[in-house]
Amino acid sequence: MTTRLYSNPIHLDHLTPPGHPERPDRLRAIEKVLEHEAFSVLDRVQSPMGDPASILLAHPKHYVDRIEAAIPETGMARIDSDTSVSPKSWEAALTGVGAANAAVDDVFEGRAANVFVATRPPGHHAEKVKAMGFCLFNNAAIAARHAQKTHGAERVAIVDWDVHHGNGTQDIFWTDPTVLYCSTHQMPLYPGTGAKTETGVGNIVNAPLAPDTDGEVFRDAFESRILPALDAFRPDLIIISAGFDAHHRDPLAEINLVEDDFSWATGKLMDRAARFSSNRLVSLLEGGYDLQGLALSVAAHVGRLMRG
């Protein structure tokens, strides 16, 4: 089996205001770097549109209805000061959900060794009833619930290395011991959550990083906090909230990772997936706002996934 890549042109039609860091060019940069012959054996599949009912696995219906009602017929509308929607945003978000769930199906049903989903808008800041931080629906949380409901997964781990803490994922699973949420992130930084003391019911493991942290400190956080938690939890599935804004080029933060740090972390999670999850691993794009840093980091990440 090969690594599968999900993408869909609809994600380019989710428009944001001029100068907004979460822009369609992010996916164009990823598409371009993955055109290299090194990625010729990627199993490229167009992302399917999801069933709106699947969003209810992580968000209540009144919230989903509110987001759908906010989609404008023309122009743009603001959900909050950072988060905007345009006429195609509902389809783009629903396709992100569909791709995340399809990726889960693929690894449980043996169609792919692992999967990378190139999607936008991102998801990890979306709380149960609050869109924020460029995010509308929490793709990782929905995919985790889908794995439990559809494939009988008893324990799902979500590992989030986006430079911003995934407050939404933490909020959704705060009292749920069947889902482990582990995060490395800069602190202090938006959204202001993610302290070590935030532990849920023992299922939340935060590893905050100080500004100007480099790869050595990031790797130590992984080795000392994230990986031991995974070893103790023994997940049936690992989902990566794969943000690449901890790259040293990124304009929205002050962590100084390089591409090899993301490759290293990918390998460590693949080791745990091999040990506990029959290699089942799904990676969902979150942040990453410098186009060169994003492209190079995704290339390193996907290249490591492909090596098995």
Side-chain angles (χ1 to χ4, degrees), residues 12-50:
L12 301 175
D13 294 330
H14 167 61
L15 304 180
T16 52
H20 197 285
E22 206 297 284
R23 58 207 190 276
D25 281 346
R26 298 178 62 233
L27 291 189
R28 294 188 180 103
I30 290 172
E31 181 180 0
K32 183 176 181 179
V33 78
L34 294 182
E35 288 174 352
H36 189 278
E37 63 181 2
F39 302 101
S40 61
V41 298
L42 269 176
D43 180 19
R44 299 166 192 265
V45 179
Q46 182 162 298
S47 300
M49 186 173 292

Side-chain angles (χ1 to χ4, degrees), residues 173-184:
F173 296 115
W174 184 255
T175 60
D176 184 352
T178 70
V179 177
L180 175 70
Y181 176 67
C182 301
S183 175
T184 61

Side-chain angles (χ1 to χ4, degrees), residues 20-304:
H20 197 285
E22 206 297 284
R23 58 207 190 276
D25 281 346
R26 298 178 62 233
L27 291 189
R28 294 188 180 103
I30 290 172
E31 181 180 0
K32 183 176 181 179
V33 78
L34 294 182
E35 288 174 352
H36 189 278
E37 63 181 2
F39 302 101
S40 61
V41 298
L42 269 176
D43 180 19
R44 299 166 192 265
V45 179
Q46 182 162 298
S47 300
M49 186 173 292
D51 180 352
S54 66
I55 304 173
L56 303 180
L57 294 170
H59 302 282
K61 188 174 188 303
H62 68 84
Y63 169 77
V64 178
D65 291 343
R66 189 167 79 241
I67 295 299
E68 185 174 17
I71 305 299
E73 292 186 7
T74 62
M76 295 182 197
R78 287 192 179 272
I79 302 295
D80 69 7
S81 60
D82 296 318
T83 310
S84 300
V85 289
S86 62
K88 294 293 185 179
S89 295
W90 174 258
E91 293 174 52
L94 197 56
T95 301
V97 170
N101 287 346
V104 169
D105 294 339
D106 289 341
V107 297
F108 272 96
E109 296 171 7
R111 287 186 291 272
N114 48 56
V115 183
F116 178 67
V117 179
T119 185
R120 56 181 294 277
H124 74 149
H125 291 309
E127 298 182 347
K128 290 178 186 177
V129 295
K130 185 176 183 181
M132 59 184 287
F134 317 158
C135 303
L136 302 179
F137 303 126
N138 197 307
N139 299 322
I142 295 166
R145 291 284 192 230
H146 177 72
Q148 293 178 321
K149 178 181 178 182
T150 304
H151 300 286
E154 295 182 0
R155 298 174 304 280
V156 178
I158 301 173
V159 179
D160 186 339
W161 65 50
D162 191 283
V163 82
H164 302 94
H165 180 246
N167 59 293
T169 313
Q170 177 170 290
D171 171 65
I172 290 168
F173 296 115
W174 184 255
T175 60
D176 184 352
T178 70
V179 177
L180 175 70
Y181 176 67
C182 301
S183 175
T184 61
H185 49 273
Q186 181 178 322
M187 195 173 189
L189 191 66
Y190 181 91
T193 53
K196 286 184 179 180
T197 54
E198 297 169 17
T199 59
V201 288
N203 63 320
I204 307 294
V205 179
N206 287 310
L209 306 173
D212 295 320
T213 288
D214 61 12
E216 181 179 356
V217 178
F218 167 76
R219 294 185 190 208
D220 179 70
F222 237 74
E223 295 275 15
S224 64
R225 292 185 61 77
I226 307 303
L227 298 180
L230 288 171
D231 292 344
F233 189 68
R234 302 178 65 86
D236 300 313
L237 169 69
I238 295 176
I239 297 172
I240 305 175
S241 273
F244 298 99
D245 39 8
H247 191 276
H248 68 92
R249 291 180 55 95
D250 202 273
L252 297 192
E254 301 155 303
I255 300 297
N256 298 312
L257 302 191
V258 297
E259 301 89 80
D260 190 58
D261 293 315
F262 295 113
S263 176
W264 175 88
T266 303
K268 291 296 182 181
L269 296 183
M270 292 175 71
D271 290 344
R272 267 56 189 188
R275 189 182 307 176
F276 304 123
S277 312
S278 299
N279 293 307
R280 291 187 291 265
L281 186 150
V282 168
S283 177
L284 310 177
L285 179 67
E286 299 284 1
Y289 305 103
D290 176 83
L291 299 184
Q292 181 179 339
L294 172 63
L296 293 174
S297 299
V298 168
H301 174 55
V302 173
R304 183 64 186 86

